[in-house]
Amino acid sequence: MITQEQLTATAGIAAFTDQGQRLGSVEYVLVDDTTGRPEWARVTDPASGLGGVFVPLRHALLDGHRLTLPYAVSLIERAPCAALDCGSVLSVQEEQRLFAHYGLRSARDEVNAESGSGWAGMDRAAAIKEGTAGREAQASRLRTVRPGR
């Protein structure tokens, strides 16, 4: 997992699979507004035609000038929002589709499992939990961080 302290090191960094295949460069990172964790990186590679795809950072490794992701190229290329621009921030609904695609638990489930303290005790948790019903396509709990800026 990439930490907040490592965000500045991700500016334009090359992204690879754990099999050594180059995916492209990190355009920007989406940070969870509730947990403060970097959750997603937008990776683009105009040379290969990869117009932009969101990849999860939970199991990613940052080693020098290289971001390594434990996902196959075929899985990444089929990710929701890979072929179209989802905007600079994902909606709750788009993020849920991405979690499912990569086989990950949502941040809410992850935080509950890690801390045992429950989602309700977190900043903005009640508003996110109660405030998105019927508006998942518009609401977001992520903020864009452009590394190095």
Side-chain angles (χ1 to χ4, degrees):
M1 177 174 70
I2 307 303
T3 65
Q4 282 189 330
E5 293 77 27
Q6 294 174 311
L7 278 177
T8 55
T10 63
I13 198 167
F16 292 83
T17 68
D18 56 2
Q19 301 297 311
Q21 295 173 287
R22 189 176 193 286
L23 297 167
S25 299
V26 174
E27 183 180 1
Y28 58 87
V29 173
L30 295 179
V31 175
D32 186 296
D33 202 21
T34 303
T35 65
R37 289 194 273 186
E39 281 286 342
W40 303 97
R42 179 78 166 184
V43 175
T44 59
D45 187 16
S48 72
L50 186 64
V53 63
F54 287 102
V55 292
L57 292 174
R58 284 193 196 163
H59 304 292
L61 298 173
L62 186 61
D63 182 24
H65 298 289
R66 184 182 183 112
L67 177 69
T68 303
L69 301 156
Y71 304 101
V73 172
S74 59
L75 180 69
I76 293 169
E77 289 176 339
R78 291 190 320 270
C81 300
L84 57 112
D85 191 317
C86 286
S88 63
V89 177
L90 296 169
S91 70
V92 171
Q93 185 178 39
E94 290 165 339
E95 188 180 25
Q96 287 172 345
R97 287 189 1 237
L98 281 165
F99 279 132
H101 177 78
Y102 286 105
L104 298 171
R105 293 187 291 187
S106 71
R108 176 185 300 174
D109 294 338
E110 193 82 13
V111 167
N112 282 335
E114 285 177 6
S115 68
S117 63
W119 178 255
M122 297 184 64
D123 255 3
R124 292 191 64 231
I128 292 169
K129 185 176 178 183
E130 298 166 7
T132 60
R135 296 183 310 125
E136 287 84 0
Q138 296 85 34
S140 178
R141 54 175 198 74
L142 301 165
R143 61 186 164 84
T144 304
V145 175
R146 300 208 182 260
R149 294 185 188 170

